[in-house]
Amino acid sequence: MWADVVCAWAYIGKRRLAQALEGWDGEPVEVVWRPFRIDPMAPTQAEPMEEVLRDPVVDAALQGCAPGMTPAENRVRVSEIAAAEGLGSRWGAAWRASSHDAHRLIALAYQEGGSALQDAVLEGVLRAHFVEQRDISLKETLQEIAAAAGFSEGGRLLGEGGAEEYVRETLLRGKAIGVTTSPTLVIGGEALAGAHAPEVIAQFVARAVAEPRRELPTEVERLRLAQALLDKGDPLGCLTLLGKLMAEHPEERSVRLLAARAHYHSAQLSRARSGLETLVAEIPDDAYARLMLGRVLERQGKGEEAAPHLRIAAAMNPEYGKAG
């Protein structure tokens, strides 16, 4: 489940997912929570929600959450649904808080104690934010939540920077596979976006589990995710996921070519040129590497140097000549 702990629908979705799995009699199902950010610009130091909601720009942005309703009407609707799900009548976040460290704590709980401990910590974070109206961006708040959930080491691990890299990379993985809303339930290659009714979730789980996806080697999956990020216009995210592959498989041509493309699209032209020149020297008849090298040189203002590479690429593959 990809979700943000500052998303009210994530808390509602958590309850509905649990209800959907209560009568599950198929293969054992493990629920693992992955990070998503609905408000990546939330400040490190939390702001009172009352002040935030008075901002007309924020109010207008919230219109997209519930077309046809004012943000105030939508908040009332969500509160009523939350109460019906047993989440309490006193409902509503009091703070606009960054959820980054909360996601780190939730990830650490899974790493240290599995899905049961993660669920307990997640429940504590959600309850603190929406019911107790506490500031979950504070380390002290997260330490208290961890301790109450039986995760005594949580505060220390958080303070040591635990799961920092994991959360940042997993956010990119979610983007790569097409997660765009909180919550989104993912099983294999199937996704169900939104906090649906328990019976809808149960049907989705049954259908997805019945059609298991073939697992890819870790390196292949990482390469495909990096490619997906580049295709989505995020070359820096692509390079982040490629980092481990570049360190572990520095001679792998597909990794090096994708890195050169990402350098090109992120305007790191010197790095792109260096990588592509090496690739072309190794395999002179690689038409695509020739094409990319020519384009890099053009962007560097070196038209005369670019021309031979572009001509050779077009001779080997006429389609590259049309790309112009």
Side-chain angles (χ1 to χ4, degrees):
M1 183 72 91
W2 300 76
D4 197 348
V5 292
V6 296
C7 170
W9 289 108
Y11 203 0
I12 293 168
K14 182 177 185 294
R15 282 289 188 272
R16 292 178 174 178
L17 176 60
Q19 293 171 33
L21 296 178
E22 282 179 358
W24 177 255
D25 58 1
E27 292 293 321
V29 172
E30 179 186 40
V31 179
V32 182
W33 292 81
R34 306 294 192 197
F36 183 80
R37 297 288 298 276
I38 62 171
D39 187 9
M41 301 305 293
T44 303
Q45 185 172 351
E47 302 172 336
M49 190 63 75
E50 287 185 4
E51 295 180 10
V52 172
L53 294 176
R54 283 199 293 268
D55 185 336
V57 175
V58 173
D59 207 57
L62 289 174
Q63 293 279 3
C65 297
M69 302 178 68
T70 67
E73 290 171 340
N74 184 50
R75 288 193 292 275
V76 170
R77 180 176 69 106
V78 173
S79 297
E80 292 173 347
I81 294 172
E85 295 292 340
L87 297 174
S89 56
R90 183 173 179 267
W91 171 273
W95 300 92
R96 183 193 182 201
S98 170
S99 58
H100 182 74
D101 286 344
H103 283 305
R104 288 175 51 218
L105 181 65
I106 292 163
L108 286 166
Y110 182 76
Q111 293 172 11
E112 299 296 318
S115 57
L117 181 59
Q118 184 184 53
D119 184 81
V121 170
L122 173 64
E123 181 69 26
V125 171
L126 290 167
R127 183 170 184 80
H129 184 66
F130 288 106
V131 180
E132 298 169 357
Q133 299 182 334
R134 300 172 69 188
D135 178 0
I136 62 168
S137 67
L138 293 175
K139 293 289 196 303
E140 297 80 2
T141 301
L142 295 175
Q143 289 171 356
E144 292 173 9
I145 291 170
F151 186 25
S152 59
E153 292 293 290
R156 178 183 64 79
L157 294 171
L158 200 63
E160 293 174 352
E164 180 72 39
E165 181 179 349
Y166 167 85
V167 167
R168 294 190 184 280
E169 182 174 295
T170 306
L171 288 169
L172 290 173
R173 285 175 171 266
K175 181 179 180 180
I177 66 174
V179 175
T180 59
T181 191
S182 169
T184 297
L185 180 60
V186 178
I187 303 176
E190 301 295 321
L192 180 68
H196 293 271
E199 55 270 20
V200 174
I201 297 174
Q203 291 170 4
F204 170 76
V205 173
R207 184 173 63 255
V209 170
E211 301 175 0
R213 184 182 65 165
R214 181 174 64 87
E215 293 293 327
L216 295 173
T218 302
E219 295 83 359
V220 175
E221 181 185 28
R222 180 178 284 269
L223 185 63
R224 290 190 179 183
L225 292 173
Q227 173 71 65
L229 286 173
L230 185 58
D231 293 342
K232 292 176 182 292
D234 186 357
L236 295 178
C238 171
L239 288 167
T240 297
L241 290 190
L242 280 180
K244 188 173 183 180
L245 290 178
M246 294 168 69
E248 296 178 353
H249 306 280
E251 300 304 317
E252 177 58 44
R253 190 172 181 83
S254 60
V255 173
R256 293 155 61 200
L257 182 57
L258 183 57
R261 292 176 58 205
H263 284 135
Y264 170 77
H265 287 290
S266 59
Q268 299 181 66
L269 300 181
S270 294
R271 290 186 175 185
R273 178 179 176 178
S274 176
L276 288 164
E277 285 178 336
T278 301
L279 290 167
V280 168
E282 291 174 354
I283 304 181
D285 62 352
D286 185 332
Y288 186 71
R290 287 270 188 188
L291 175 69
M292 287 301 303
L293 179 55
R295 288 179 174 174
V296 169
L297 290 167
E298 280 186 327
R299 285 187 64 182
Q300 288 185 317
K302 302 179 184 298
E304 290 186 6
E305 293 181 45
H309 296 291
L310 295 174
R311 284 198 300 269
I312 293 172
M316 288 188 286
N317 187 334
E319 291 298 318
Y320 293 159
K322 296 176 183 177

